[in-house]
């Protein structure tokens, strides 16, 4: 179901507080999500930016022009849909300011759960907001690109730099566990066997921690492929996972909908269990089935998951044998054989 914040974002145009952008104008929508509806008369050519692969597939299927990164600037209008990551919201606003033409309009919207109130306060301390409008359990605000706004963009970028986790892994705000190594991933790595070899895939690879540890431990790799739905995390993984005897492959892919063509001896996996803000164990179920389909006969899956999630029945149905090889107060690590 589309988020109410999508309606909030376009409401100032519907309410005639902002002029409808007509034909010949160009608009950029940063953080676009499926299900939005342009108001009647919003005729500007709309370019969408979205790095989450499931959203990209849905937007493209609806006929929209969508890319993982913005490829142009000088837009008449930029739109920003806020999400749950404070740092990512601020970086998106900075990009919106940078991508719009001087004097151009920036419109930002989000729901209460997105922290839109704190974002509005933050921006209000850096630049002059023209106006705001609460609607659909959220708030839209808007301002124009001025010298003050350009200075604000520089401040927002400086306050949300790339990080170097444990002096080794490059990450950035908005990525899963960007400030530290995820405890579940660490438990998985600590319980991987020493004899990993052959063709290996890391499903839901994030910024590459598990794959990097596989490279450092596996002495007889024939192939290593990383699959990840978050474009920016996968780009970070390119610098975090070193090439050894094999050149790693990096695949921006929705494993629930886009089949894996190659077959592997080993799959390692720390699957997500949230779709946006809602817990959804079905995501993990789909990842388990995708892993089973990608393994050769006799191939092995090593997977970590929150200990309360009901994955054992799904694993037992998809694999010949399953065992729990580690558990702590938060996570379980499973080993399953195809």
């Amino acid at each position: 179901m589309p988020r109410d914040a999508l309606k909030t974002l376009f409401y100032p145009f519907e309410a005639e507080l902002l002029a409808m952008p007509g034909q010949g104008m160009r608009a950029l929508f940063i953080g676009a999500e499926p299900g939005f509806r342009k108001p009647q008369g919003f005729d500007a050519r709309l370019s969408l930016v979205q790095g989450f692969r499931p959203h990209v597939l849905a937007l493209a299927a609806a006929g929209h022009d969508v890319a993982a990164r913005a490829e142009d600037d000088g837009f008449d209008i930029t739109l920003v849909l806020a999400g749950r990551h404070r740092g990512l919201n601020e970086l998106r606003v900075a990009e919106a300011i940078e991508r719009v033409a001087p004097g151009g309009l920036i419109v930002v919207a989000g729901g209460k759960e997105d922290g839109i109130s704190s974002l509005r306060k933050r921006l209000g301390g850096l630049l002059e907001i023209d106006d705001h409008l609460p609607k659909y359990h959220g708030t839209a605000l808007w301002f124009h690109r001025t010298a003050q706004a350009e200075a604000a963009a520089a401040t927002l970028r400086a306050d949300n730099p790339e990080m170097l986790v444990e002096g080794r892994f490059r990450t950035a705000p908005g990525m899963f566990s960007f400030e530290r190594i995820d405890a579940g991933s660490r438990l998985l790595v600590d319980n991987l066997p020493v004899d990993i070899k052959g063709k290996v895939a890391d499903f839901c690879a994030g910024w590459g921690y598990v794959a990097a540890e596989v490279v450092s431990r596996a002495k007889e790799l024939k192939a290593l492929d990383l699959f990840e739905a978050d474009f920016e995390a996968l780009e970070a993984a390119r610098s975090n996972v070193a090439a050894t005897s094999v050149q790693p492959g990096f695949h921006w892919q929705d494993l629930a909908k886009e089949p894996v063509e190659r077959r592997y001896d080993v799959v390692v996996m720390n699957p997500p269990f949230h779709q946006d803000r809602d817990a959804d164990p079905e995501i993990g179920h789909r990842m388990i089935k995708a892993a089973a389909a990608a393994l050769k006969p006799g191939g092995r899956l090593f997977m970590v998951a929150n200990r309360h999630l009901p994955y054992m029945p799904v694993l037992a149905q998809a694999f010949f044998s399953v065992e729990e090889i580690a558990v702590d107060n938060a996570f379980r690590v499973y080993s399953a054989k195809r």
Side-chain angles (χ1 to χ4, degrees):
M1 179 181 293
R3 290 206 282 137
D4 284 345
L6 287 167
K7 295 189 291 184
T8 305
L9 182 62
F10 288 95
Y11 187 72
F13 299 98
E14 293 182 314
E16 300 182 350
L17 294 176
L18 294 173
M20 288 288 185
Q23 292 184 1
M25 298 182 71
R26 298 164 60 239
L28 180 68
F29 185 178
I30 300 174
E33 293 184 8
F36 73 89
R37 182 186 62 83
K38 292 193 299 181
Q40 186 175 0
F42 193 110
D43 296 327
R45 179 185 173 188
L46 190 58
S47 299
L48 313 184
V49 175
Q50 175 56 254
F52 184 51
R53 187 68 175 175
H55 286 347
V56 170
L57 295 177
L59 289 165
H64 295 294
D65 175 15
V66 56
R69 289 175 173 170
E71 300 170 349
D72 205 352
D73 53 22
F75 290 90
D76 300 289
I77 296 174
T78 52
L79 309 173
V80 179
L81 182 67
R84 58 180 173 170
H85 298 285
R86 178 195 60 79
L88 182 58
N89 288 339
E90 293 188 3
L91 289 172
R92 284 176 169 175
V93 172
E95 181 170 18
I97 295 168
E98 295 159 353
R99 296 283 179 183
V100 77
L105 176 68
I106 299 100
V107 184
V108 183
K112 294 178 181 178
E113 69 278 9
D114 302 316
I116 190 63
S117 295
S118 61
L119 180 59
R120 176 187 161 203
K121 182 177 179 180
R122 167 75 160 144
L123 294 177
L126 296 173
L127 53 82
E128 184 176 351
I129 295 174
D130 294 350
D131 206 348
H132 73 281
L133 179 66
K135 189 68 174 179
Y136 301 119
H137 310 291
T139 299
L141 60 92
W142 54 94
F143 56 93
H144 288 78
R145 177 172 174 172
T146 61
Q148 183 188 51
E150 291 169 4
T155 298
L156 293 172
R157 288 210 177 275
D159 289 349
N160 295 282
E162 290 186 348
M163 299 190 68
L164 197 63
V165 174
E166 298 193 354
R168 178 181 172 195
F169 299 106
R170 184 178 70 82
T171 71
M175 298 175 191
F176 171 69
S177 195
F178 76 96
E179 294 179 306
R180 63 187 64 86
I181 294 171
D182 169 63
S185 294
R186 193 185 292 276
L187 185 66
L188 173 61
V189 163
D190 288 345
N191 287 278
L192 290 175
V194 296
D195 63 341
I196 289 181
K197 60 184 178 180
K199 296 179 179 179
V200 179
D202 183 357
F203 282 10
C204 314
W207 42 262
Y209 165 68
V210 174
E213 290 297 322
V214 168
V215 167
S216 70
R217 294 160 188 249
K219 305 306 180 186
E220 298 182 45
L221 277 181
K222 293 183 179 178
L224 176 65
D225 288 324
L226 287 75
F227 294 83
E228 172 54 44
D230 179 347
F231 181 85
E232 294 299 337
L234 189 65
E235 289 300 292
R238 291 180 187 273
S239 64
N240 292 333
V241 180
T244 55
S245 58
V246 299
Q247 179 65 44
F250 299 89
H251 307 272
W252 183 39
Q253 192 162 328
D254 178 3
L255 289 165
K257 294 183 179 178
E258 298 176 287
V260 174
E261 301 298 333
R262 206 170 192 175
R263 294 295 172 261
Y264 298 95
D265 299 291
V266 175
V267 171
V268 294
M269 179 167 71
N270 181 1
F273 67 97
H274 283 87
Q275 179 68 43
D276 296 321
R277 294 160 184 80
D278 299 324
D280 183 6
E282 181 60 30
I283 299 172
H285 296 173
R286 292 194 292 268
M287 295 300 104
I288 290 168
K289 294 172 183 176
L295 282 165
K296 300 175 182 177
R300 295 179 295 171
L301 168 69
F302 297 95
M303 167 184 163
V304 67
N306 289 63
R307 62 179 296 167
H308 69 276
L309 294 172
Y311 287 156
M312 182 60 86
V314 182
L315 284 163
Q317 185 176 25
F319 288 87
F320 174 74
S321 64
V322 182
E323 61 177 319
E324 183 182 289
I325 59 174
V327 61
D328 64 13
N329 61 350
F331 301 98
R332 301 179 191 274
V333 178
Y334 300 97
S335 171
K337 190 173 184 179
R338 180 79 161 82

